[in-house]
């Protein structure tokens, strides 16, 4: 029996099952287009996605992403924001994590350490307000 779309998602405060379903579907679609086109689609998300039923969006986006993965090898080039790894394999790993759970090591190494190093100006003001913690 499918979950109630209005049910809250305890691990995502303030989100319903429909909200989370739509989010994951939009992420799949965004990354599939980025892989296919070599650049992130902008603006995102397109307005027409708002009218699509969340489960239908997720199913369509998942099928498209899987087709994109199946059409190439993990070592094939696929642009991403993460300069050290510009392969399809990065997206296979990232979308697996998006679906299941963010691994702590990747979260710290890729999102935190890499982001702070690459975009330090963005984090300067945010970190300046930290009360002595790093």
């Amino acid at each position: 029996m499918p979950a109630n779309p209005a049910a809250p998602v305890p691990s995502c405060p303030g989100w319903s099952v429909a909200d989370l379903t739509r989010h994951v579907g939009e992420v799949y679609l965004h990354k599939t287009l980025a892989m296919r086109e070599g650049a992130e689609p902008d603006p995102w998300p397109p307005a027409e996605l708002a009218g699509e039923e969340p489960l239908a969006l997720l199913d369509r986006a998942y099928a498209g992403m899987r087709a994109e993965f199946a059409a190439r090898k993990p070592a094939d080039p696929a642009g991403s924001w993460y300069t050290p790894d510009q392969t399809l394999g990065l997206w296979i790993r990232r979308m697996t994590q998006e679906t299941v759970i963010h691994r702590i090591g990747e979260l710290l190494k890729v999102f935190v350490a890499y982001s702070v190093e690459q975009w330090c100006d963005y984090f300067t003001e945010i970190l300046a307000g930290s009360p002595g913690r790093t």
Side-chain angles (χ1 to χ4, degrees):
M1 173 179 215
N4 174 359
V9 179
S11 60
C12 299
W15 281 22
S16 67
V17 169
D19 295 332
L20 182 58
T21 302
R22 176 171 301 285
H23 167 75
V24 174
E26 288 177 352
V27 168
Y28 287 170
L29 217 73
H30 183 267
K31 301 315 175 206
T32 300
L33 290 171
M35 286 182 275
R36 205 175 284 152
E37 297 172 6
E40 293 193 13
D42 187 34
W44 190 261
E48 61 269 15
L49 291 185
E52 192 168 352
E53 191 273 323
L55 194 53
L57 170 64
L58 177 64
D59 287 345
R60 179 173 70 81
Y62 181 72
M65 182 181 69
R66 292 282 311 220
E68 192 67 24
F69 290 163
R72 300 192 263 161
K73 295 178 182 169
D76 286 351
S80 81
W81 52 267
Y82 186 54
T83 307
D85 188 352
Q86 297 286 301
T87 67
L88 185 70
L90 170 88
W91 290 119
I92 293 169
R93 289 188 308 278
R94 283 293 310 120
M95 293 302 94
T96 299
Q97 290 170 340
E98 180 72 26
T99 305
V100 182
I101 189 169
H102 291 274
R103 288 188 345 226
I104 297 299
E106 178 138 348
L107 177 66
L108 294 175
K109 180 179 177 186
V110 175
F111 287 108
V112 177
Y114 181 79
S115 296
V116 169
E117 180 184 317
Q118 291 299 307
W119 301 294
C120 59
D121 292 341
Y122 174 80
F123 291 97
T124 301
E125 186 175 329
I126 296 167
L127 295 174
S130 174
R133 294 186 295 254
T134 59

